[in-house]
Amino acid sequence: GQNIDQPTEMTATEGAIVQINCTYQTSGFNGLFWYQQHAGEAPTFLSYNVLDGLEEKGRFSSFLSRSKGYSYLLLKELQMKDSASYLCAVVDSNYQLIWGAGTKLIIKP
Amino acid sequence: GAVVSQHPSWVICKSGTSVKIECRSLDFQATTMFWYRQFPKQSLMLMATSNEGSKATYEQGVEKDKFLINHASLTLSTLTVTSAHPEDSSFYICSARASGEVDEQFFGPGTRLTVL
């Protein structure tokens, strides 16, 4: 079967760095998305990785290792507004999205 | 975990035809279902929110007569794209929120629509 694993909840301190991991087992791979979703709002696109390596976008970076079936989202200089759920989604060989359950990130002052 | 399915996975149709997409919550009851549209490498755009047994609430700019939403049961919502045109080609994704849950949504795998 197809499976995406990410931690259910994480807590971090304002100003710190946090890494949210995502591991996947899917039938084929055509890219991996990270989305941010605040409660009651639609998910917001953060990143799309299809090649191995690290992609940096401001305070957010995303890493992919296809051979390990692994990705992480790195958030630096955490702000209170970063409190949200972070969703990992993989595009499989049929171009279907396989969604992780999301990681709820709680930022404390 | 909670599973949401969509059918069909992909569909190709001629311009002017109507296409129905189903969204089902397989192992839980969903009082609220959401329909999104996604363009390549962009955020999901919320089209409408549907509550079981009542009319859907459409986001600004979404034509309710073109995108018909029906949420007839606690496990099924349908989106019908009427008189589809090439510009309607997109990836349509639904999500479902379980009864009693405030902020947890479960997403479907999406339906890729191509209008020729």
Side-chain angles (χ1 to χ4, degrees), chain B residues 61-83:
Chain B
V62 178
E63 299 174 59
K64 61 179 68 176
D65 294 332
K66 180 169 182 63
F67 299 99
L68 301 178
I69 291 172
N70 183 279
H71 192 164
S73 79
L74 286 171
T75 59
L76 173 65
S77 175
T78 60
L79 167 68
T80 302
V81 183
T82 62
S83 187

Side-chain angles (χ1 to χ4, degrees), chain A residues 35 37 42 44-45 48 96-97 99, chain B residues 9 38 43 91 105 108-110:
Chain A
Y35 284 90
Q37 186 179 27
T44 303
F45 170 83
Y48 174 72
Q96 293 289 285
L97 276 171
W99 292 89
Chain B
S9 305
Q38 184 188 32
S43 291
F91 200 40
Q105 292 181 34

Side-chain angles (χ1 to χ4, degrees), chain B residues 7-74:
Chain B
H7 177 79
S9 305
W10 57 270
V11 57
I12 301 173
C13 68
K14 291 183 179 179
S15 185
T17 60
S18 294
V19 175
K20 180 188 280 189
I21 303 170
E22 292 185 351
C23 176
R24 292 182 185 272
S25 56
L26 297 186
D27 51 3
F28 67 100
Q29 293 186 327
T31 49
T32 304
M33 287 185 170
F34 304 87
W35 285 97
Y36 296 88
R37 186 171 175 176
Q38 184 188 32
F39 294 100
K41 299 184 187 179
Q42 294 185 23
S43 291
L44 298 178
M45 184 192 79
L46 180 64
M47 299 174 66
T49 302
S50 77
N51 292 296
E52 186 264 339
S54 62
K55 290 184 180 179
T57 302
Y58 289 82
E59 296 299 302
Q60 192 172 9
V62 178
E63 299 174 59
K64 61 179 68 176
D65 294 332
K66 180 169 182 63
F67 299 99
L68 301 178
I69 291 172
N70 183 279
H71 192 164
S73 79
L74 286 171

Side-chain angles (χ1 to χ4, degrees), chain A residues 37 41-43 87 97 99-100, chain B residues 2-6 34 36 44 93-96 105-110:
Chain A
Q37 186 179 27
E41 298 180 12
L87 301 163
L97 276 171
W99 292 89
Chain B
V3 178
V4 174
S5 71
Q6 284 184 238
F34 304 87
Y36 296 88
L44 298 178
I93 300 167
C94 75
S95 70
Q105 292 181 34
F106 302 97
F107 289 86

